[in-house]
Amino acid sequence: EGGDVVPDGEKIPGIYHRKDKSLKGDFEDADDSYKAPGPAVYKAGSSSSTSNLLKVTSAQTYMTGINNYGEISPADNTILPYYAIKNFPVMDFDSNDLRCRTPETDISVTKTNVIKVAKAGDTITLFWDPESRTMVTDSNEPHLIHGPCMVYLSPYEKKAKKGWFKIYGSGMVDGQWCSAGIRTRGGKLDVTIDSAIAPGKYYLRGEVIGLNNSVLDNWDDYTQGAQSFANCAVIEIVEGGDEVPEGVSIPGIYHMEDKNLKGDFTDADDSYEVPGPEEFKPRAQPTTAEGKVQGIL
């Protein structure tokens, strides 16, 4: 016997965050004002046990594979291991999780296969799950991400900590977010490896950033704000140029208050500036006095 209300509830994990005020700190002198962790206790008559803010936080996606020369490398042996909830975003941009959204980046431990790219200059396709469903929502409809896409490389010996350089970045083109373009193409994102990049093993980091909730500034528990969906694979370039950019460290490429990550982007247009460092550009080749590139007749 009972009423007719079944609260939407929430997913576990997801009800606590490591920086929650009720979980992190010195509680030696705590008193009756201490607030119990987790969502509010259900009260009859409320529309849901989940706050309106939390209902919009979890637009989600993840990289599912890489296609090179028509062969799709599936996620189970080429994408670095996912967390338990593989489509959950990183919202703490100072966290090491921002690198690859993975608990382990050493392929000797994870037994992850290296994807060979025949030569720099090739175009490879990253596959993304275009319709991941929300974790905290009152419907089963996909929560579509709106935002930019970026792809980075870092020499494998840098262990995914340093040396990251951007090889692709797209925000809004002809009024369409890059994320929407991925969905239009069935989850595909084509990326060209610049022919100037030197041969070797690299971490490849594909990322989509969701700006759905970027207007909200409840950063304390990382349930609001811009959302990073990054995944990594390891590729080997077997032919190429001689350039290995110095790159930058991750975390460190984004900051919570960046103007292109926090704000209302409902009316954004093609002038939107892609977050992070500038995209890699090869060195200009030296020319002779006649204007010809040296070494080319």
Side-chain angles (χ1 to χ4, degrees):
E1 296 182 16
D4 59 357
V5 177
V6 180
D8 292 332
E10 300 183 31
K11 289 279 189 177
I12 298 178
I15 56 173
Y16 309 133
H17 304 276
R18 59 188 174 187
K19 293 192 176 182
D20 285 353
K21 295 178 180 178
S22 53
L23 294 174
K24 182 178 181 181
D26 183 356
F27 301 105
E28 184 176 351
D29 298 322
D31 55 27
D32 292 358
S33 65
Y34 173 83
K35 183 179 180 181
V41 176
Y42 167 72
K43 295 181 179 180
S46 63
S47 59
S48 170
S49 62
T50 308
S51 72
N52 289 332
L53 286 178
L54 280 177
K55 283 190 176 183
V56 296
T57 61
S58 297
Q60 300 156 345
T61 191
Y62 56 97
M63 197 161 70
T64 62
I66 295 179
N67 183 327
N68 185 38
Y69 291 114
E71 295 185 4
I72 299 177
S73 302
D76 58 359
N77 64 2
T78 56
I79 307 299
L80 289 172
Y82 302 111
Y83 279 112
I85 305 175
K86 59 187 176 182
N87 58 359
F88 197 77
V90 173
M91 303 180 71
D92 178 359
F93 289 166
D94 295 324
S95 166
N96 291 338
D97 293 344
L98 188 67
R99 292 170 184 158
C100 293
R101 203 167 40 142
T102 182
E104 181 58 71
T105 58
D106 185 347
I107 60 174
S108 66
V109 174
T110 63
K111 308 299 183 184
T112 303
N113 292 338
V114 178
I115 303 168
K116 288 195 174 182
V117 179
K119 59 182 179 180
D122 286 346
T123 295
I124 61 176
T125 302
L126 311 186
F127 286 86
W128 294 84
D129 176 31
E131 294 186 348
S132 285
R133 300 185 184 279
T134 59
M135 293 176 56
V136 187
T137 182
D138 57 0
S139 75
N140 288 323
E141 293 302 316
H143 188 153
L144 303 181
I145 296 172
H146 305 296
C149 318
M150 288 75 69
V151 180
Y152 295 80
L153 292 179
S154 173
Y156 184 71
E157 60 269 20
K158 300 289 187 180
K159 300 181 179 181
K161 298 178 182 179
K162 301 178 180 180
W164 291 103
F165 58 98
K166 185 189 293 180
I167 62 170
Y168 178 89
S170 178
M172 182 172 282
V173 178
D174 296 332
Q176 183 183 61
W177 284 112
C178 180
S179 57
I182 290 178
R183 288 192 295 272
T184 300
R185 294 187 293 273
K188 299 177 182 179
L189 177 63
D190 292 330
V191 179
T192 299
I193 308 296
D194 195 286
S195 59
I197 296 174
K201 284 199 300 186
Y202 294 84
Y203 287 98
L204 181 147
R205 177 183 183 271
E207 179 181 35
V208 178
I209 289 185
L211 297 175
N212 303 48
N213 300 319
S214 57
V215 70
L216 303 174
D217 58 3
N218 181 19
W219 296 98
D220 291 343
D221 59 1
Y222 303 111
T223 59
Q224 305 297 335
Q227 303 172 331
S228 171
F229 300 89
N231 291 109
C232 296
V234 176
I235 67 171
E236 182 177 3
I237 300 173
V238 295
E239 294 181 30
D242 62 358
E243 294 194 45
V244 181
E246 182 178 354
V248 296
S249 297
I250 297 179
I253 53 174
Y254 313 132
H255 302 281
M256 294 177 177
E257 300 292 333
D258 286 351
K259 64 180 181 180
N260 46 9
L261 291 174
K262 182 179 179 181
D264 185 354
F265 300 103
T266 304
D267 298 322
D269 55 28
D270 291 7
S271 65
Y272 173 84
E273 182 178 342
V274 176
E278 292 292 323
E279 192 172 326
F280 165 72
K281 293 181 181 179
R283 294 189 302 265
Q285 297 186 25
T287 59
T288 65
E290 292 79 18
K292 296 179 180 179
V293 175
Q294 291 182 5
I296 299 177
L297 298 178

